[in-house]
Amino acid sequence: MTKFRETRNVGIIAHVDAGKTTLTERMLHLSGAVHRTGSVDDGTTTTDHDPLEQDKGITISSAAVHFDWRGYGVNLIDTPGHADFTIEVERSLRVLDGAVVLLDAVSGVQPQTEKVWRQADAHDVPRIVFVNKLDRPGASLDMCLDSLRIRLGVDPVVVGLPGPEGWVDVLAPSADPRRVALVEACAELDDDVAAAYLEDRPVSRAMLVQAVREGVRARRLLPVLAGSAVNDVGVAQALDAIVELLPAPRSVLADGPLAFCFKVVFPKFGQMSFLRVYAGSLRRGDAVWSSGQRRRVRVGRLVRLFGDRLDDVEVLESGAIGAVIGGGLRTGDTLSAPSAQVSLEGLEAPEPVVHLAIEPRRPSDRERLAQHLDRMLLEDPSLTRRTDPETGEALLGGVGQLHLEVTLARLRARSGVEVRVGRPKVALRSTVARVVERRHRHVKRTGGPGQFAEVLLRLEPLAVGAGFVFVDETRGGAVPAEYVAGVDKGVREALARGPLDGHPVVDVRVTLLDGATHSHDSSELAFKIAAQDCLREILAAADPVLLEPLAGLEVTAPDEVVGGIVGDLQRRRAVVDALDVVASGKRVRARVPLVELFGYAGDLASLSQGRAQHSAAPSGYAPAPRELQADLLKRAG
């Protein structure tokens, strides 16, 4: 059994097509975990074992493997690079202690690189960078370093790269200018390195490794390696950097076992729940407390993960990543000792931005389809299902078109049901443009207890992306604390169905300024109804504004077709933010209304004769032009 201090839990995160799965496969081969290197093109890699992944040539679901490297046990998670599968990155980073950020040496930092970087920041995950595909025409390590500085605001230091005579270990003593820069960076973080540098004494490799490791752990230093995964250049050194520079699992004090369920899947044999053990040990047959089920459960069959292969174990020790078969767990559940019940912070799933109406072609298949969809909703917290109140249609919500396409393909394959699909619809929001105050009194007299509540509310707009804020500014007990909760609930319900065709209202502050009660007839329910009615009146008078989802788009194309591409984007209401020179021509960076990107891949192929590449990622919401609001509401309805 690998000891706690000799374990590394790491993920590989990057933009799509940066080479994450290829790097993972080469690491497995070098470590001896596999005897034949699989290929993404052939659909034979260890981590892309889903038939859809093999068909599309991209990673869709995060996959875990375990292997040994120089006496260390490595649990590695290969994550998707496409923006539509961001929940897989989110749940992986939630349980990891380190990450390798992959860059394409020709493209540098790309849109999804920025997204996964922010996700890693949110979870305080230490990182190293591997610049991949250094063998490709147009590859530039210096360009990649500049893009890290400019687009991510970090100051990278090179610790290893290929040279004319073999691998250059910048950590080892030499007169290389890169090592001088590395020593100077470490001298600002480590007293021993600083003393040796100031006294002109040699700085050993061991001293630098220690300083870099501490700098990475504190997120004050970003080591960079470069190579080519497909050619096995720099792969062994990247593995060395994982065990030398990334931290061991963080220890957590707990009375007994403590584990977190970060993913649930339903393979053919039933349910399997992915776990990270934070403290103690989890043994088969143990009785533990499940925070989600609010009861004691028995730990079933335990396994370690190697792609789609399951290796049975009797125990998962602290720091381990594995899975339990059965048990009815849900994503975000915590397992702890029944005598010391703990509930760890859960996962936040992204809001859906695209909806599709779905129904079975045969009404007799409706129940079967619903059962399989229920399981998929448990597997993927970024999927939603709701019923259109006007048409009664079932609306499936997701992060993007590809997300929903993959979901529908899996749904058809698993259920065997033919599914009829409507056209995609974007998820609109609304906000307000004016500050409005209003007083409202709710009175209801019946033969029994009556209802009385009076509220004075103020609604004001906030910046885009600020969300919803509720503030209680009443004085002197005008609205007792037990009734303020009712006001909050009523306000939230009113905002959930806004004045523009029921689209939710966001980015506003609602302030409870005053109110009045009745000695017998006031209640939390009465104040909820009063707040709801009051806010609906206010919303109608506050100049509501429709918000539409945007996508951050990058298009790389040869110079001769860029003009046509930019013109087409402007016709799609895009705002072009930058036009960068790259090795293959130009890179256009723009923000585009998501509704204008439906079918864009085919249009771009026609415009560029198939010579352009593009990627897009959700980029928040923005006010829609007022002259287009009616059309957008119709298209979303």
Side-chain angles (χ1 to χ4, degrees):
M1 182 65 65
T2 304
K3 294 180 181 179
F4 184 83
R5 67 178 181 278
E6 295 174 345
T7 299
R8 295 292 183 269
N9 293 324
V10 298
I12 301 182
I13 58 176
H15 188 86
V16 66
D17 288 335
K20 296 178 301 301
T21 301
T22 299
L23 178 61
T24 301
E25 195 70 15
R26 297 291 170 165
M27 287 179 169
L28 291 175
H29 186 253
L30 270 180
S31 70
V34 298
H35 301 296
R36 178 180 175 274
T37 306
S39 163
V40 172
D41 293 336
D42 296 338
T44 56
T45 61
T46 304
T47 51
D48 282 354
H49 51 79
D50 186 293
L52 270 174
E53 294 176 317
Q54 295 167 359
D55 179 57
K56 292 182 175 292
I58 60 171
T59 301
I60 294 170
S61 300
S62 55
V65 292
H66 64 91
F67 57 90
D68 293 330
W69 182 254
R70 303 196 193 284
Y72 290 80
V74 179
N75 295 311
L76 187 146
I77 297 181
D78 177 22
T79 68
H82 199 286
D84 281 21
F85 310 111
T86 186
I87 186 63
E88 295 292 324
V89 181
E90 182 69 18
R91 64 165 125 221
S92 299
L93 289 172
R94 171 66 175 77
V95 299
L96 293 172
D97 302 289
V100 180
V101 181
L102 220 61
L103 296 185
D104 183 320
V106 177
S107 303
V109 173
Q110 296 172 275
Q112 190 62 6
T113 318
E114 295 178 311
K115 171 64 175 175
V116 299
W117 188 271
R118 290 194 298 269
Q119 288 176 285
D121 278 345
H123 292 287
D124 197 24
V125 176
R127 278 145 274 175
I128 62 175
V129 171
F130 185 83
V131 177
N132 191 28
K133 304 186 180 182
L134 208 58
D135 56 310
R136 288 181 58 198
S140 170
L141 175 58
D142 288 338
M143 179 275 294
C144 289
L145 297 174
D146 285 341
S147 71
L148 286 166
R149 296 184 186 101
I150 294 168
R151 298 186 65 170
L152 299 182
V154 296
D155 194 11
V157 289
V158 177
V159 297
L161 71 165
E165 299 180 7
W167 185 258
V168 178
D169 181 4
V170 180
L171 292 161
S174 73
D176 190 323
R178 295 185 189 274
R179 189 176 199 269
V180 175
L182 178 59
V183 170
E184 290 175 347
C186 289
E188 297 182 7
L189 307 174
D190 185 276
D191 291 341
D192 292 337
V193 174
Y197 178 70
L198 292 173
E199 296 168 10
D200 203 23
R201 290 188 283 109
V203 178
S204 68
R205 188 182 191 281
M207 290 173 63
L208 271 190
V209 167
Q210 173 66 22
V212 172
R213 183 190 303 120
E214 288 303 309
V216 169
R217 185 187 58 78
R219 290 178 46 208
R220 297 179 62 191
L221 205 63
L222 182 64
V224 176
L225 300 97
S228 169
V230 74
N231 294 311
D232 279 331
V233 176
V235 178
Q237 290 78 13
L239 282 167
D240 288 341
I242 285 173
V243 300
E244 283 189 321
L245 305 181
L246 289 175
R250 289 166 283 189
S251 59
V252 176
L253 293 176
D255 185 7
L258 182 63
F260 180 78
C261 174
F262 65 96
K263 180 173 179 173
V264 170
V265 295
F266 290 90
K268 292 180 180 179
F269 53 78
Q271 178 176 332
M272 182 168 68
S273 305
F274 290 48
L275 301 174
R276 160 68 194 269
V277 182
Y278 283 99
S281 58
L282 206 60
R283 293 182 179 276
R284 182 171 183 167
D286 280 355
V288 294
W289 178 263
S290 167
S291 66
Q293 296 167 284
R294 306 300 301 168
R295 65 182 179 88
R296 291 164 69 113
V297 297
R298 287 282 176 188
V299 177
R301 176 188 170 196
L302 293 172
V303 296
R304 296 184 73 194
L305 303 160
F306 194 84
D308 60 350
R309 190 187 85 201
L310 307 180
D311 298 334
D312 283 277
V313 294
E314 286 299 313
V315 59
L316 291 174
E317 301 284 0
S318 183
I321 290 176
V324 61
I325 309 300
L329 296 179
R330 299 292 179 261
T331 300
D333 284 0
T334 302
L335 297 180
S336 58
S339 59
Q341 298 167 16
V342 176
S343 182
L344 297 173
E345 183 181 355
L347 281 171
E348 276 194 28
E351 290 287 325
V353 294
V354 182
H355 291 95
L356 286 175
I358 63 169
E359 63 176 357
R361 289 192 180 275
R362 295 189 299 271
S364 59
D365 288 332
R366 194 174 303 277
E367 185 176 345
R368 185 176 182 183
L369 183 69
Q371 289 174 348
H372 284 273
L373 185 55
D374 284 343
R375 286 189 168 188
M376 297 188 72
L377 291 166
L378 291 174
E379 288 183 336
D380 185 352
S382 63
L383 277 177
T384 64
R385 176 183 55 192
R386 65 181 178 87
T387 302
D388 189 306
E390 294 183 4
T391 65
E393 294 177 310
L395 295 178
L396 186 65
V399 177
Q401 274 189 283
L402 181 60
H403 184 208
L404 293 180
E405 286 173 16
V406 167
T407 299
L408 289 170
R410 284 178 168 169
L411 187 58
R412 291 182 177 112
R414 293 181 185 183
S415 68
V417 173
E418 290 186 53
V419 181
R420 190 160 38 224
V421 180
R423 60 182 177 83
K425 306 173 184 179
V426 296
L428 300 174
R429 301 284 184 265
S430 62
T431 189
V432 297
R434 297 199 303 119
V435 178
V436 177
E437 284 185 18
R438 187 152 297 182
R439 186 180 291 273
H440 181 86
R441 176 178 290 183
H442 169 69
V443 180
K444 183 179 180 182
R445 303 294 184 192
T446 62
Q451 291 182 358
F452 179 93
E454 184 177 307
V455 294
L456 174 62
L457 298 178
R458 180 174 66 224
L459 174 71
E460 53 192 310
L462 298 176
V464 173
F468 164 64
V469 179
F470 175 75
V471 181
D472 175 18
E473 289 188 359
T474 56
R475 296 291 181 267
V479 179
E482 61 267 28
Y483 299 156
V484 171
V487 175
D488 190 5
K489 289 177 185 177
V491 164
R492 290 178 186 273
E493 289 187 13
L495 294 177
R497 285 195 57 79
L500 297 178
D501 281 8
H503 294 291
V505 180
V506 296
D507 304 332
V508 294
R509 178 189 288 114
V510 177
T511 305
L512 175 60
L513 299 169
D514 194 15
T517 62
H518 185 278
S519 57
H520 299 296
D521 293 342
S522 289
S523 65
E524 182 179 330
L525 176 62
F527 273 90
K528 174 186 168 182
I529 295 171
Q532 202 170 12
D533 292 343
C534 182
L535 196 63
R536 284 173 179 160
E537 294 173 7
I538 291 175
L539 286 169
D543 195 9
V545 177
L546 192 67
L547 300 176
E548 61 178 338
L550 301 181
L553 178 73
E554 283 198 5
V555 182
T556 304
D559 289 330
E560 56 268 28
V561 300
V562 168
I565 290 171
V566 171
D568 176 68
L569 287 175
Q570 289 172 338
R571 285 189 290 275
R572 295 173 188 266
R573 300 189 286 125
V575 175
V576 176
D577 295 318
L579 197 60
D580 304 323
V581 177
V582 295
S584 57
K586 294 285 193 307
R587 179 167 57 203
V588 183
R589 285 192 276 149
R591 284 165 292 136
V592 194
L594 185 61
V595 71
E596 304 291 350
L597 287 183
F598 292 153
Y600 183 66
D603 295 342
L604 179 63
S606 298
L607 277 170
S608 66
Q609 295 83 49
R611 300 165 68 194
Q613 294 180 323
H614 82 288
S615 62
S619 185
Y621 281 76
R626 288 190 180 272
E627 65 272 15
L628 296 179
Q629 285 192 11
D631 180 58
L632 288 170
L633 288 169
K634 182 179 179 181
R635 291 165 73 179

